């Protein structure tokens, strides 16, 4: 009987150790789970921190590139006024003399006054009657200054000018000067003469 009591007495510490081990295992598992959760949060927080730092770095770089100096304007861009100077030429357009010099003079005047410049060439029959529709098209487009070079073109413009007093006419190589008409002679200095005439006509109508 005493032997059995000793066996029971010896079994109780073993059971206690088993229960203690179970509790430790449970605590261990809880600690591991907690660490895993914290590690996930840490990774998420670290990822968020990296994203924020990256955004700050990019912003800093962009801000460091900005300064208070005004931007360099594009030299190709030109702001034009609402004044239009239009050239009426023969079938060769602005490729041959004297139309080429007239066109270059108009471009010089455009750079000085910022007026828009354009040209139209009379196609088909080179006559006064055929030049009139092309001239009328210019006037319908509200050309403020009309230049004409070439026999039929100058004749058509000379006939039409008295009916358009608000429009300035510059006749190259012919025609008669009038209230709203100026004439230029062919020869050396034509480009400069055209530029000056267009500038005067544009300023008078600005």
């Amino acid at each position: 009987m005493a032997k059995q009591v000793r066996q029971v007495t010896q079994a109780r510490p073993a059971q206690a150790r088993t229960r203690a081990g179970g509790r430790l295992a449970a605590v261990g598992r809880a600690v591991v789970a907690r660490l895993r959760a914290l590690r996930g949060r840490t990774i998420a927080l670290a990822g968020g921190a990296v994203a924020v730092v990256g955004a700050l770095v990019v912003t800093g770089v962009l801000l460091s590139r900005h300064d208070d100096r005004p931007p360099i304007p594009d030299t190709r861009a030109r702001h034009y006024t609402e004044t239009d100077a239009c050239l009426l030429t023969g079938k060769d357009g602005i490729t041959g003399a004297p139309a080429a010099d007239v066109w270059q003079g108009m471009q010089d005047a455009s750079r000085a006054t910022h007026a828009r410049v354009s040209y139209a060439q009379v196609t088909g029959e080179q006559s006064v009657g055929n030049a009139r529709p092309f001239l009328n098209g210019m006037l319908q487009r509200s050309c403020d200054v009309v230049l004409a070079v070439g026999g039929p073109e100058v004749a058509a413009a000379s006939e039409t000018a008295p009916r358009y007093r608000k429009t300035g006419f510059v006749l190259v190589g012919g025609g008669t000067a009038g209230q709203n008409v100026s004439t230029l002679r062919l020869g050396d200095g034509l480009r400069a003469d055209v530029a000056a005439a267009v500038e005067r006509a544009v300023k008078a109508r600005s």
Side-chain angles (χ1 to χ4, degrees), residues 103-186:
W103 178 245
Q104 290 175 349
M106 291 177 65
Q107 290 180 312
D108 294 339
S110 176
R111 283 187 285 270
T113 63
H114 298 283
R116 293 186 293 258
V117 294
S118 62
Y119 74 93
Q121 61 192 83
V122 176
T123 58
E125 182 183 354
Q126 300 298 295
S127 64
V128 176
N130 191 42
R132 288 195 188 102
F134 293 91
L135 177 60
N136 292 336
M138 286 184 170
L139 296 171
Q140 290 173 2
R141 295 202 311 268
S142 300
C143 289
D144 302 284
V145 181
V146 173
L147 293 89
V149 59
E153 293 73 28
V154 169
S158 182
E159 292 176 0
T160 305
R163 299 196 301 271
Y164 292 87
R165 297 293 184 181
K166 294 183 179 180
T167 303
F169 288 82
V170 180
L171 310 180
V172 181
T176 303
Q179 181 180 355
N180 60 328
V181 179
S182 61
T183 60
L184 299 176
R185 293 182 299 178
L186 299 175

